[in-house]
Amino acid sequence: MNSEPADPATISDAVSADPKAPRPVRVATGDEHPVTSPLSVHDMTVAYHRKPVLWDVDFDAPAGSLIGMIGPNGAGKSTLLKAALDLIPKASGRVMVFGKPYRQQRHLVGYVPQRESVDWDFPVNALDVVAMGLYRRIGWCRMVSRRHKQSAMQALEQVGMADFAKRQISQLSGGQQQRVFLARALVQDASLYLMDEPFAGVDASTETAIVNILQTLRTAGKTVLVVHHDLHTVRDYFDQVILLNMRIVAHGPTDEIFTPDNLKKTYGGRLTLLDRAAHAIARQGET
Amino acid sequence: MDWTSLDTWIVITGVLSAMSCALVGNFLVLRKMSMMGDAISHAVLPGLAIAFLISSSRGSITMFIGAAIAGLITALFTQWIHKFGKVEESAAMGVTFTALFAIGLILIVRGADKVDLDPGCVLYGAIELVPLDTITFLSLTLPRAVWILGSVMLINILFTLVLYKELRLTCFDPALATTLGINANVMHYVTMTLVAITTVASFESVGSILVIAMLIVPASAAHLLTNRYGLMLAMSMIFAAVSAVLGHISAITVPTWLGFADTSTAGMIAVVAGLLFTCTMFFAPHQGILSKVWHRLRLSLRIASEDILGKLYRLEESTSDQPTLAQSAVFPANKWISRLARADLARTRKITRENNTYRLTEQGRFLAMQLVRSHRLWETYVAKHFDLEVDHLHDSAERTEHYITQTMQQDMIEELSHVKTDPHGKKIPDQPSSEDSIVDPKQKGGQA
């Protein structure tokens, strides 16, 4: 009845605490990438009209971590997520999810697109949108059953939106819309989540709610890669950072990587200019 | 009105054609690609012409294959030109379909001796001739167009029902659909192929221009009427059927009132659809113009009423021994909305009126206290958090007071550590526990 793809994971995995994550398959990849990583991007280059947007991006996401992807506007952060998910073509490179090509592992990956990417006047309510996360599990040509609606409802409760289940989505605030998107990802029960600016334009209470959910996901052994903008909160929210500006400037544990030096490299002259301004103002204050 | 079996068949053809178009039209409207209907309905022409030239027959199957291919090519070319030519999508569409349409016209004119395809008929259709061309299949003799349109409608309905949730997802969020393994691009091209087939099926009856109205108008109207996906699909089809029936009836009746012979049914269907859409725009329950005006009016009336109550309350506070308040003193701006508000307040017994003097009732005073309490709490709150002159506080409070709920009042009073007076030194009214316990600020038990 349920056409959910057979889960290869039967033996629990020492690396990942998530019991749903499949046991890594040992393949001789011929390079230094650990095959157990939830997400390995190998030498990925993406170009729009011959102009490269991402250049030779190469990283592994450690299992069970919250990863913040930071970089200036136009650094290619969203492009990286989309290219990894086969939504836009890659000029070169491979994306492996738990040691296998992404195409074979779609069911393990949850995606939260940018809120502006959809038409919020679309005639559906919050519950319908959340249930969309289950469509793969429900299977082609089958109806959304009451059981599916119940799990969608649970996801809405998790993000504190149960009271708005029947609300048409255009009548939700920006923060509420973002929570609905998050609930839709939760209901997918993925092992790896890619989120495109979930904190953009949300109110403080939604931001807290999202952070709590990210931490719950990490506790459950999931890996979450988040495109993020607010440099102030990076240290509080993420264990790992990827600093991106067309290329990966640096990636690794937040404590080691999130340094003024690396940020300057990532943001180029822009941050330096700000720094200089800050210095100037500070000196003025002293005299 | 002279109704014959011919009319019945014309109406049936019109209804089938309008409903098939309306159903696929929903996906164009929802994906904000309404222009694609326009493009495809024109661009199928070369497909048809080539199909005629190859098979030199009006055999339906060849026609549909030709149209489907042409439709698909339109959708593909539009995407490619948009992507690789760095051209805006609507411009890419314009380039593609005009070029294809022109090729089609040239082919028809060139091969005019070989094929009996009339360019005028392609543009405007000939629904009036439909009943004359019949086909017998399974011992049923029906007009050819009814067979064709019936099958197309069945295909469209099956497509929408079987792929109900997949279509909804790919229209709403193509990126998510693709990551879930439902390829939004494939779904898009399948839908566009269906649009092409539906368009061709409707050609003979309504032509390539009026078919656009049938694709877009019912779905747009339904979108205004409901915010549920399934209901939108159903309503668009009902809307289409009603337009078709009313369209034919108007085509044979309206011109006779003016002393002319009857007019084109296809044209009238489009006109009726347009009129019905205009009505929808005005009368739609939530998104209609009238409903919006009505809600705005209700809000203005509420604000005006509350302002009157607030004024009366403040006057009660300041005047020493006059329990009634003169009209002129209270309502300097004698705007119609203010008059309406006064009438409404008197009707609902919040104020009483005697010889142009007004006075609050118990019920009115209850509401007035709430409002003034909101006003003064807000002033105090703003004064605490922003470094503003005291005379800058009033305007903000005057606007905000109408939207402050009791919970917000409670939050503010707690944060302000139960302050008793506002920055102007005026007393913040206490929260009245119920309507009965209210006392006149000066005169205990003021009469109702």
Side-chain angles (χ1 to χ4, degrees), chain B residues 261-278:
Chain B
D262 55 3
T263 181
S264 147
T265 294
M268 262 333 237
I269 294 177
V271 169
V272 168
L275 287 175
L276 286 179
F277 178 80
T278 316

Side-chain angles (χ1 to χ4, degrees), chain A residues 49 85 87 102 106 111 113 118-119 121-124 128-129 132-133 135-136 138-142 144 168-169 171 181 184 188, chain B residues 30 32 83-84 86 162-166 168-169 171-176 178-183 187 223 226-229 232:
Chain A
H49 305 298
L85 292 164
L87 294 174
Y102 165 67
R106 280 186 197 280
Y111 175 45
V118 303
D119 168 22
D121 281 331
F122 201 85
V124 284
D128 292 331
V129 173
M132 286 176 183
Y135 281 9
R136 185 191 173 86
I138 296 168
W140 283 87
C141 315
R142 286 161 190 271
V144 181
Q168 207 269 325
I169 52 173
Q171 289 158 13
F181 257 25
R184 187 177 68 173
Q188 287 184 48
Chain B
L30 284 175
K32 303 205 180 293
K83 222 177 191 171
F84 299 114
K86 293 192 194 180
V162 169
L163 296 176
Y164 186 79
K165 70 177 197 307
E166 285 79 7
R168 177 163 66 177
L169 174 58
C171 283
F172 175 63
D173 193 344
L176 182 86
T178 307
T179 66
L180 290 175
I182 301 165
N183 193 317
M187 289 292 275
H223 198 3
T226 176
N227 47 30
R228 289 169 59 190
Y229 172 77
M232 175 176 164

Side-chain angles (χ1 to χ4, degrees), chain A residues 3-272:
Chain A
S3 64
E4 190 180 354
D7 197 337
T10 42
I11 309 161
S12 71
D13 180 4
V15 179
S16 161
D18 180 12
K20 288 208 72 172
R23 201 162 62 100
V25 186
R26 298 269 161 196
V27 193
T29 48
D31 56 20
E32 70 281 14
H33 287 279
V35 288
T36 52
S37 170
L39 175 70
S40 310
V41 174
H42 300 236
D43 303 329
M44 186 166 79
T45 296
V46 179
Y48 288 138
H49 305 298
R50 285 198 284 172
K51 194 177 127 208
V53 189
L54 283 176
W55 195 255
D56 205 17
V57 169
D58 197 286
F59 69 89
D60 298 296
S65 55
L66 290 184
I67 310 158
M69 185 151 58
I70 325 285
N73 287 332
K77 303 183 293 289
S78 298
T79 308
L80 195 154
L81 295 194
K82 285 182 192 154
L85 292 164
D86 274 348
L87 294 174
I88 51 173
K90 296 183 272 287
S92 71
R94 280 183 305 150
V95 174
M96 308 293 270
V97 174
F98 291 103
K100 284 191 199 167
Y102 165 67
R103 267 163 215 262
Q104 297 171 28
Q105 306 278 56
R106 280 186 197 280
H107 59 289
L108 296 172
V109 186
Y111 175 45
V112 179
Q114 277 185 29
R115 186 157 49 85
E116 296 82 49
S117 67
V118 303
D119 168 22
W120 290 95
D121 281 331
F122 201 85
V124 284
N125 61 32
L127 192 70
D128 292 331
V129 173
V130 177
M132 286 176 183
L134 293 163
Y135 281 9
R136 185 191 173 86
R137 203 174 307 162
I138 296 168
W140 283 87
C141 315
R142 286 161 190 271
M143 299 291 279
V144 181
S145 71
R146 189 188 297 184
R147 192 166 51 90
H148 297 124
K149 284 194 175 157
Q150 275 167 1
S151 33
M153 199 62 202
Q154 277 169 10
L156 275 176
E157 272 164 27
Q158 244 178 303
V159 297
M161 286 284 295
D163 294 342
F164 298 90
K166 293 283 169 200
R167 193 74 77 84
Q168 207 269 325
I169 52 173
S170 65
Q171 289 158 13
L172 300 173
S173 73
Q176 291 169 334
Q177 290 174 345
Q178 191 64 58
R179 289 187 200 207
V180 169
F181 257 25
L182 204 66
R184 187 177 68 173
L186 291 179
V187 92
Q188 287 184 48
D189 197 18
S191 300
L192 166 69
Y193 286 101
L194 306 182
M195 303 189 180
D196 203 345
E197 302 209 22
F199 296 109
V202 303
D203 50 293
S205 68
T206 299
E207 178 142 355
T208 320
I210 297 176
V211 170
N212 287 338
I213 284 160
L214 291 183
Q215 277 159 0
T216 316
L217 286 172
R218 176 178 51 193
T219 316
K222 321 268 186 184
T223 309
V224 190
L225 175 59
V226 179
V227 172
H228 193 57
H229 254 307
D230 184 7
L231 296 176
H232 297 105
T233 49
V234 172
R235 274 184 192 281
D236 299 335
Y237 293 175
F238 302 110
D239 338 312
Q240 294 257 331
V241 284
I242 296 174
L243 297 176
L244 188 79
N245 191 350
M246 264 181 69
R247 304 155 186 271
I248 289 193
V249 177
H251 71 110
T254 313
D255 297 337
E256 295 167 29
I257 300 302
F258 195 69
T259 59
D261 243 20
N262 278 337
L263 280 175
K264 260 177 212 162
K265 275 190 229 162
T266 314
Y267 284 82
R270 273 169 278 183
L271 201 69
T272 339

